Structures are given as structure tokens and as C-alpha cells.
Amino acid sequence: QVQLEESGGGSVQAGGSLRLSCTASGSTSNSACMGWFRQAPGKEREGVATFDRFLGTTYYADSVKGRFTISRDNAKSTVYLQMNSLKPEDTAMYYCAAAPPPCSVRWRDGSSRFSSWGQGTQVTVSS
């Protein structure tokens, strides 16, 4: 089992930046894939980005490519999501998630393939 603790988030104007952090504790193998999902009111949860700690591979949703960057500090078991050029449509609750490999399959298949979840942190972008 993996426990995930998130920090960051908040409110920002369009064009601004925020950084989310998520620290994992517990099973290392079960947190090989760590990533971020988001869910806006009335919408389904969608993948934002995922990091594969063994391959160093990153995956991004098309909507955030070029604006968001996921990175990982393995020594701290922490994954970061740097969000730049934020848009009002980025407003959502952001959730950290973790799963064992293979990360490519986890990312492809979506949130149902991630077994551990954080409590969520709100990101609000005003126009």
C-alpha cells in the first residue's frame, strides 16, 4: 500500500504558475508510476501527467503539453507538477496517484488502473 500526501495548489490568474508536490510513503514498487489526475465539476477525472521512475519516461495529456512539467525526486519519493501558462480551463481538483508498472499501460488505461490516491488539492485559475 502507498500513502500519498499532496501540497501546493491554490488560486492564480490566467497566465500564472503553480507547483504541486506529492510525496509517497510505503511500498516503493507500488509507486513506480506516479502522476496527476484532475477532475472539474461535472466532468470525468482525466489524466494530466505521469512519471515512470524506472524508465524516466513521462506522459502528458495533449491539453497540457508545453505548459506543464512533471518531475520526480526519487530520493524524496516526491513527484512535482510545475504548471505554467495556466488557463481557466485548468481549474479542477488535482489528485496525485500511484501504481506499480507498467506505467505506459496505466497511463493508457486511465485512472482505474491507479491503485493509490491522494486527497486532492484545488487549483483555481481566474480569467
Side-chain angles (χ1 to χ4, degrees), residues 30 53 55 65 68 71 83 85 87 93 95 105 126-127:
N30 287 337
R53 69 170 292 177
L55 300 179
K65 284 180 180 177
F68 291 10
S71 60
M83 305 184 292
S85 302
K87 304 175 180 180
M93 185 70 78
Y95 297 91
V105 174
S126 58
S127 58

Side-chain angles (χ1 to χ4, degrees), residues 58-85:
T58 55
Y59 305 89
Y60 292 95
D62 288 342
S63 59
V64 306
K65 284 180 180 177
R67 300 188 298 121
F68 291 10
T69 302
I70 190 169
S71 60
R72 182 163 179 161
D73 185 335
N74 287 331
K76 297 180 180 179
S77 297
T78 298
V79 66
Y80 305 95
L81 185 68
Q82 178 65 44
M83 305 184 292
N84 298 328
S85 302

Side-chain angles (χ1 to χ4, degrees), residues 31-71:
S31 62
C33 311
M34 286 184 68
W36 295 92
F37 289 75
R38 67 185 182 186
Q39 188 167 19
K43 294 187 177 181
E44 293 187 354
R45 189 169 297 189
E46 63 175 356
V48 178
T50 291
F51 193 106
D52 182 331
R53 69 170 292 177
F54 293 133
L55 300 179
T57 306
T58 55
Y59 305 89
Y60 292 95
D62 288 342
S63 59
V64 306
K65 284 180 180 177
R67 300 188 298 121
F68 291 10
T69 302
I70 190 169
S71 60

